Amino acid sequence: MNKLTKLELSHIPKLPRHAKLRFDEARKKWIINAPERVFELDEIAAEVMQLVNGNISINSIVDSLHNKFKEASREQISKDVIIMLQSLADKGFIVSE
Amino acid sequence: MSEISQDKSFSTPEKRSKTLIPYAMLCELTHRCPLACPYCSNPVQLELKSNEISTDLWKKALSDAVKIGILQAHFSGGEPTARKDLEELVSHASKIGLYTNLITSGVLINEDRLKKLYDAGLDHVQVSIQDTDPENSEKIAGFKGHQKKITTCGLIRKVGLPLTINSVMHRQNLHNLKDMINLAVQLDAERLEVAQVQYYGWALKNQTAFLPTRKQLDDATIIVEEARKKYKGILAIDYVVPDYYAKKPKSCMGGWGRQFLNITPAGKVLPCHAAESLDFLNFENLKEKSLAWIWEHSESFNRFRGTDWMPEPCRSCDRREIDWGGCRCQAFALTGNADAADPTCEFSPYRKVLDEPLSKAGNKTPEFVYRKF
Ligand code: SF4
Ligand code: SF4
């Protein structure tokens, strides 16, 4: 496992063992459980995080999202995904294979 | 995406009008502990082993917790590894979807047990380190175990568990903050929690021995800011300026009875781990009432929930739903009035009870008063 300081499109992101994604029934939301923290994901973040599995690159994540949400430009999606994942990586909640 | 956390407490993004959904529970499995920290936050009156609740009752509590929406279970104490059923409880919690965290001093555990906990599904371990200087560390803990702690941290990483170092920093160790940060990096910890002493319970007896000076804190803030930049993505550092030097209190656990609950070794359910210091309140026990009922209906959880209980200056203050009037335990311990605004607040008529000890913070440091079990 590598800690990441700056994300690039070719990186294959995953959650470190101490962060766990799951759907919470009580709140009807996707959440990430982490030490002393809970991230409640909005719809877009939830879409992104469900693709973060340590198998596919950020590039492929962007492709998949672009396929699903045709209204947004690929460029815009790519930017949003990087910003979102980078904010988690800065706190150590995104690492790479 | 909203991150609902600030250090120890979660802050709710939107106000929920109906039943509140709690986020986390602290399971104090036992009060037994080989250490004797003079800032211990456990009640001054400790529970005996014979009063500890059974494995089955703990399991039921964990299952009930998931039903009311709790996401995280923190296993703590005392020293939680003193209970032999720890693995069984972690395994149960993990199976039903709870995020599990072990809060330990690290002195009673070996590699074999850590492996078992890993296999049981433990998500995270937090180890307390009293200081980087072994001698001072052992003086503060009242126990010879510094090297053992360091070894344990290594083993935790070796078996593949994520690690947070928790260090209560105060007047007598703040000068080693830089070393503590380096130690955390060296031990390959993901997080360092620089905690502050809260002054109720045992810690109040040692107040002047702990109170840092303004200068110490200013230096600490700079050190933390630099280290945060340097170790971005490598080590996360949690640090907040302590109440005493702030002008406004912090929200306590995200507000009384809003996000958090605590279960004592004897099965009492508390809104905060120090709540028993509010000796006029009656706390329900899991042996008699369900967790859901206690969370929703008990007198103790409703006593300071929301804002209806507040007198002035909180009642009309525009921060009343931000800090919820601050810490009830500290208000009661320092002013004798549990409804008072937290005395750390600049609007509190009791602010002088803090300013007075602060003015002495430059004087000679008194000896610790240790607790013995
Ligand atoms: S008056 Fe009460 S609500 Fe306002 S800042 Fe002070 S403690 Fe908080
Ligand atoms: S009421 Fe005070 S002692 Fe209790 S959790 Fe809140 S801040 Fe801590």
Side-chain angles (χ1 to χ4, degrees):
Chain A
M1 182 188 96
N2 290 310
K3 295 179 178 179
L4 287 179
T5 45
K6 190 163 182 327
L7 286 177
E8 280 159 29
L9 286 167
S10 61
H11 282 142
I12 299 179
K14 67 169 189 181
L15 285 167
R17 185 181 153 132
H18 64 279
K20 280 191 166 167
L21 177 75
R22 79 165 163 95
F23 188 75
D24 173 45
E25 279 301 332
R27 293 167 184 79
K28 304 281 174 242
K29 268 186 185 167
W30 283 88
I31 56 120
I32 297 173
N33 261 321
E36 306 288 351
R37 275 181 172 70
V38 174
F39 296 90
E40 286 188 18
L41 305 184
D42 59 26
E43 272 166 54
I44 298 166
E47 291 287 344
V48 178
M49 288 313 300
Q50 286 174 77
L51 296 168
V52 168
N53 56 13
N55 291 320
I56 63 173
S57 67
I58 299 184
N59 238 328
S60 320
I61 292 175
V62 174
D63 284 341
S64 289
L65 290 170
H66 185 48
N67 268 331
K68 197 164 171 186
F69 304 98
K70 296 236 158 47
E71 327 81 70
S73 74
R74 193 181 183 286
E75 217 189 338
Q76 191 55 49
I77 294 180
S78 158
K79 231 186 179 170
D80 290 350
V81 169
I82 291 268
I83 291 175
M84 193 221 126
L85 292 179
Q86 185 69 58
S87 77
L88 286 171
D90 287 347
K91 299 176 189 123
F93 295 125
I94 287 289
V95 295
S96 81
E97 245 339 299
Chain B
M1 183 179 65
S2 61
E3 182 186 353
I4 42 147
S5 76
Q6 294 153 351
D7 310 293
K8 275 280 189 185
S9 68
F10 299 97
S11 66
T12 341
E14 76 260 26
K15 270 165 250 136
R16 297 189 182 78
S17 45
K18 302 226 176 59
T19 314
L20 295 151
I21 305 176
Y23 285 91
M25 70 195 298
L26 186 69
C27 305
E28 295 178 328
L29 298 183
T30 178
H31 277 157
R32 287 171 284 146
C33 180
L35 273 57
C37 301
Y39 46 70
C40 178
S41 63
N42 281 333
V44 176
Q45 196 60 51
L46 298 172
E47 282 306 337
L48 298 171
K49 182 173 185 205
S50 52
N51 289 337
E52 290 177 7
I53 55 173
S54 68
T55 310
D56 285 344
L57 196 48
W58 273 118
K59 283 190 183 166
K60 180 169 183 302
L62 292 162
S63 301
D64 288 351
V66 172
K67 287 186 202 132
I68 60 172
I70 285 181
L71 302 170
Q72 305 198 340
H74 303 277
F75 294 97
S76 147
E79 179 44 54
T81 56
R83 271 198 63 141
K84 297 206 172 62
D85 55 0
L86 177 64
E87 291 85 334
E88 193 179 342
L89 297 177
V90 168
S91 160
H92 179 76
S94 170
K95 271 192 207 113
I96 56 178
L98 286 166
Y99 185 89
T100 54
N101 180 25
L102 173 65
I103 301 173
T104 177
S105 66
V107 299
L108 293 183
I109 198 158
N110 59 20
E111 186 171 352
D112 183 49
R113 195 136 189 239
L114 283 166
K115 274 195 193 132
K116 287 196 180 118
L117 286 164
Y118 180 96
D119 293 338
L122 185 63
D123 289 306
H124 182 267
V125 187
Q126 177 181 315
V127 174
S128 61
I129 295 185
Q130 280 69 11
D131 196 355
T132 49
D133 167 25
E135 203 176 307
N136 203 30
S137 172
E138 290 173 351
K139 179 186 160 206
I140 295 169
F143 183 80
K144 291 221 172 302
H146 184 76
Q147 190 46 48
K148 170 74 184 163
K149 281 167 182 281
I150 304 289
T151 310
T152 300
C153 289
L155 292 172
I156 288 168
R157 299 297 296 125
K158 186 176 162 206
V159 304
L161 285 162
L163 173 66
T164 289
I165 303 289
N166 173 288
S167 184
V168 177
M169 303 292 295
H170 46 79
R171 179 179 180 140
Q172 305 200 31
N173 63 6
L174 262 171
H175 58 280
N176 288 331
L177 178 58
K178 237 187 212 157
D179 290 348
M180 187 59 81
I181 294 170
N182 292 336
L183 179 64
V185 174
Q186 228 176 64
L187 293 171
D188 194 26
E190 268 88 12
R191 281 173 71 244
L192 170 65
E193 239 178 53
V194 180
Q196 309 287 348
V197 178
Q198 294 264 25
Y199 298 99
Y200 45 68
W202 201 263
L204 201 53
K205 299 189 199 299
N206 287 297
Q207 191 184 36
T208 32
F210 287 130
L211 268 183
T213 62
R214 177 84 239 187
K215 168 95 174 57
Q216 276 184 308
L217 285 171
D218 289 344
D219 293 350
T221 307
I222 295 171
I223 292 173
V224 168
E225 275 165 14
E226 280 172 1
R228 274 185 181 150
K229 268 188 226 134
K230 188 168 166 200
Y231 295 121
K232 196 166 159 184
I234 292 169
L235 179 75
I237 306 174
D238 278 357
Y239 166 84
V240 264
V241 175
D243 290 354
Y244 276 62
Y245 287 102
K247 292 209 165 92
K248 302 272 175 15
K250 288 185 279 290
S251 123
C252 134
M253 310 309 296
W256 183 274
R258 305 189 77 75
Q259 306 186 337
F260 175 88
L261 60 85
N262 182 102
I263 302 178
T264 72
K268 278 191 207 166
V269 186
L270 315 176
C272 96
H273 68 287
E276 280 181 295
S277 66
L278 304 174
D279 53 13
F280 55 91
L281 276 183
N282 171 40
F283 298 100
E284 313 285 343
N285 195 300
L286 287 175
K287 290 180 198 155
E288 281 115 39
K289 291 265 169 42
S290 78
L291 194 67
W293 187 91
I294 298 173
W295 173 256
E296 220 180 311
H297 302 295
S298 68
E299 186 216 343
S300 55
F301 274 82
N302 285 306
R303 177 64 177 80
F304 300 108
R305 201 175 242 160
T307 55
D308 287 350
W309 58 273
M310 287 177 177
E312 294 297 348
C314 298
R315 177 167 282 276
S316 59
C317 177
D318 58 9
R319 285 181 52 88
R320 66 183 181 274
E321 295 193 352
I322 298 171
D323 64 36
W324 305 97
C327 171
R328 293 302 90 221
C329 304
Q330 197 159 257
F332 185 58
L334 294 173
T335 74
N337 174 6
D339 289 313
D342 189 316
T344 57
C345 176
E346 61 180 333
F347 306 127
S348 159
Y350 296 99
R351 176 71 216 194
K352 63 176 182 307
V353 304
L354 295 184
D355 290 335
E356 219 246 337
L358 283 187
S359 66
K360 288 191 210 134
N363 300 354
K364 193 168 155 286
T365 309
E367 289 294 317
F368 289 140
V369 184
Y370 289 101
R371 69 186 304 161
K372 283 277 168 277
F373 188 29

